Amino acid sequence: MAVGGTARVRRTQEARSARSRQRLLTAAAVEFATRGFAGGSVDRIARAARVNKAMIYYHFGSKAALYREILRDMFEAVSLRVGEAARGTAAPEDKIRAFVDAFATEAEARPHFPPIWFREIAEGGAHLDPATLGSMSGVLKSLGHILREGHHAGRFQPINPLLVHAGIIGPILLFFASASLRGRLERAGVPGIATVSRDDVVAHVQRVALIALEGRRRK
Amino acid sequence: MAVGGTARVRRTQEARSARSRQRLLTAAAVEFATRGFAGGSVDRIARAARVNKAMIYYHFGSKAALYREILRDMFEAVSLRVGEAARGTAAPEDKIRAFVDAFATEAEARPHFPPIWFREIAEGGAHLDPATLGSMSGVLKSLGHILREGHHAGRFQPINPLLVHAGIIGPILLFFASASLRGRLERAGVPGIATVSRDDVVAHVQRVALIALEGRRRK
DNA sequence: GTCTATAAATAGATAGAC
DNA sequence: GTCTATCTATTTATAGAC
């Protein structure tokens, strides 16, 4: 019973530790998305997570390491999801649709994702470690794989994957990151801006990507 | 001669003041693009401009006011250029091409523009004053004007301007803001990324925007 | 207009008790 | 694992001499 009690206590402490670690990650994601890496404050993160500030250094070592962990989680999840979309035996057109949908789903599920991605791009990827860089290139490679398949099947024109990539993630990131800004523009007198839904954007990007790939000739 | 001398001195001082003011604006644009508003430091801006730090407060009043001035300049210039593209009697298709080209030209001419725009979006437009908000909506309105013209002429399908807007500025901003990141990805083993040129991107975005607007039916 | 010096607040990080 | 207290550096901003 003494042993069982000790084990139970240990389990409880471990669970509490894991929970406070997770609370810090969640609070940090919000803080960094809102204020950026430099603008984010460990004091505010600790306060929002209702965890002592020293725990940030206990769990992660530094503000930069905490930030990198968030980046890693984020890009790993995206890379995984779009990788699933690229594999399998579905038609190339359906894979493009799945790629777009997976990216948008991931961007929507993690509201901090689009703003942090934008900021990281603006900073030239200053905080990206090799693992995260690997996930980023994984996204591009998955798309390149779909494009090659489609080309070999005679259904897609050869287009540089970077252009298709930019045409997909650019609008989607922009849409999700600009939610609050669109609200302000609508109130400032630009009509019909708030009526666009997530599904509208996904459908539009899917359609545009596909007709671009089909490669109908234009003068 | 005494009067002429005084006037000449005054002119020289004014010119020097205007020059140091301009130097501060240039240095601040680089600093804010690289590190963001919160991460940017007035000390570093003053040092880079080789101007005394106190002059920032003399000329602009505060770090925030200096930042807002940069935003105003930037969005005014863009709004003006795309406004020119939207006016006139050219065919709607050519106006779309001109819109895309004007936006890309402006983004390229001011390297700080894409990263600052991205950061400002991520921040929900926290630093946008009414004038700048007006310029932003002006860009959207110019595009909406072209789309309406094209629709009335029976050449464009009706599509929400926000979707077309995101499909144009998303990829272009992404391309210019990610220059250094693309270099790192290329070195990390993603081939064919550095070969894409400004003209490739502009041509691709023009083509994609137009075939989307022509509205060929897809299942 | 330009400078020096400095105020006042806040930042990231750590030592050490429990 | 968690806490308090604190160190040091850096931040924006200003007062006042010239």
Side-chain angles (χ1 to χ4, degrees):
Chain A
M1 181 204 151
V3 171
T6 307
R8 188 159 50 244
V9 167
R10 192 179 309 119
R11 225 173 12 249
T12 305
Q13 285 172 344
E14 279 166 11
R16 181 175 302 177
S17 175
R19 215 156 40 223
S20 80
R21 195 190 138 91
Q22 188 51 53
R23 294 175 61 82
L24 284 171
L25 280 171
T26 305
V30 174
E31 174 77 1
F32 289 136
T34 312
R35 308 184 186 247
F37 174 69
S41 142
V42 292
D43 275 281
R44 260 193 306 266
I45 291 171
R47 209 177 317 132
R50 294 199 303 274
V51 168
N52 192 276
K53 178 171 66 159
M55 296 308 291
I56 289 179
Y57 297 92
Y58 172 76
H59 279 301
F60 305 100
S62 73
K63 173 186 171 179
L66 166 58
Y67 182 67
R68 280 195 301 269
E69 178 125 347
I70 290 173
L71 289 181
R72 251 196 316 274
D73 283 357
M74 202 168 83
F75 284 96
E76 239 173 52
V78 176
S79 175
L80 203 75
R81 287 288 297 259
V82 303
E84 286 167 11
R87 274 190 299 276
T89 57
E93 288 87 349
D94 286 332
K95 286 189 175 183
I96 289 290
R97 291 193 190 94
F99 181 96
V100 172
D101 192 69
F103 191 87
T105 300
E106 217 53 44
E108 196 179 20
R110 306 167 178 238
H112 58 277
F113 166 42
I116 289 182
W117 192 320
F118 269 177
R119 290 187 194 271
E120 205 47 44
I121 289 169
E123 232 139 301
H127 308 277
L128 299 178
D129 54 35
T132 309
L133 223 52
S135 297
M136 285 195 68
S137 59
V139 173
L140 252 168
K141 280 175 185 165
S142 291
L143 183 61
H145 175 71
I146 302 176
L147 298 193
R148 263 194 314 280
E149 271 188 359
H151 180 50
H152 290 151
R155 314 175 90 134
F156 291 167
Q157 290 290 317
I159 305 187
N160 190 305
L162 186 74
L163 292 175
V164 182
H165 183 258
I168 290 174
I169 78 165
I172 290 179
L173 288 177
L174 195 60
F175 176 76
F176 285 110
S178 67
S180 72
L181 191 52
R182 289 200 314 276
R184 286 185 64 188
L185 281 174
E186 173 96 46
R187 284 190 296 279
V190 184
I193 256 187
T195 63
V196 175
S197 74
R198 174 229 127 103
D199 287 347
D200 293 337
V201 174
V202 169
H204 181 258
V205 170
Q206 286 173 333
R207 170 175 167 267
V208 163
L210 283 173
I211 55 184
L213 283 167
E214 283 174 0
R216 197 162 42 100
R217 285 279 84 95
R218 299 189 35 85
K219 192 179 93 69
Chain B
M1 180 203 152
V3 171
T6 306
R8 189 158 51 243
V9 166
R10 192 178 310 118
R11 226 174 11 252
T12 305
Q13 285 171 343
E14 279 166 10
R16 181 176 302 177
S17 175
R19 215 156 40 223
S20 80
R21 194 190 139 91
Q22 188 51 52
R23 294 176 60 82
L24 284 171
L25 280 171
T26 305
V30 174
E31 174 77 2
F32 289 135
T34 312
R35 306 182 188 250
F37 173 71
S41 141
V42 292
D43 273 284
R44 260 194 307 266
I45 292 171
R47 209 178 317 132
R50 292 198 305 272
V51 168
N52 191 279
K53 178 173 63 161
M55 296 308 290
I56 290 179
Y57 297 92
Y58 172 76
H59 279 300
F60 305 100
S62 73
K63 173 185 171 180
L66 166 58
Y67 183 66
R68 279 195 301 270
E69 178 124 347
I70 290 174
L71 289 182
R72 250 193 321 270
D73 283 358
M74 204 169 81
F75 283 98
E76 239 174 51
V78 176
S79 175
L80 203 75
R81 288 289 296 259
V82 302
E84 286 167 12
R87 274 190 299 275
T89 58
E93 288 88 349
D94 286 333
K95 285 189 177 183
I96 289 290
R97 290 194 191 92
F99 180 97
V100 172
D101 192 69
F103 191 88
T105 300
E106 217 54 42
E108 196 179 21
R110 306 169 177 235
H112 60 277
F113 166 42
I116 289 182
W117 191 321
F118 268 179
R119 290 186 196 272
E120 205 47 44
I121 288 169
E123 232 139 302
H127 307 278
L128 300 177
D129 54 34
T132 309
L133 223 51
S135 297
M136 285 195 68
S137 59
V139 173
L140 251 168
K141 280 175 184 163
S142 292
L143 183 60
H145 175 72
I146 303 176
L147 298 194
R148 263 193 315 279
E149 271 188 1
H151 180 50
H152 289 153
R155 313 175 91 136
F156 291 167
Q157 290 290 318
I159 304 186
N160 189 305
L162 185 74
L163 292 175
V164 182
H165 182 258
I168 291 174
I169 79 165
I172 291 179
L173 289 177
L174 195 60
F175 177 76
F176 285 109
S178 68
S180 73
L181 190 52
R182 289 201 313 277
R184 286 184 64 190
L185 281 174
E186 173 97 43
R187 284 190 296 278
V190 184
I193 255 187
T195 63
V196 175
S197 74
R198 174 228 127 101
D199 288 347
D200 293 335
V201 174
V202 169
H204 180 258
V205 171
Q206 287 173 333
R207 171 176 167 268
V208 163
L210 283 173
I211 54 184
L213 284 167
E214 284 173 1
R216 194 164 43 101
R217 285 280 82 94
R218 296 189 37 85
K219 193 179 94 66

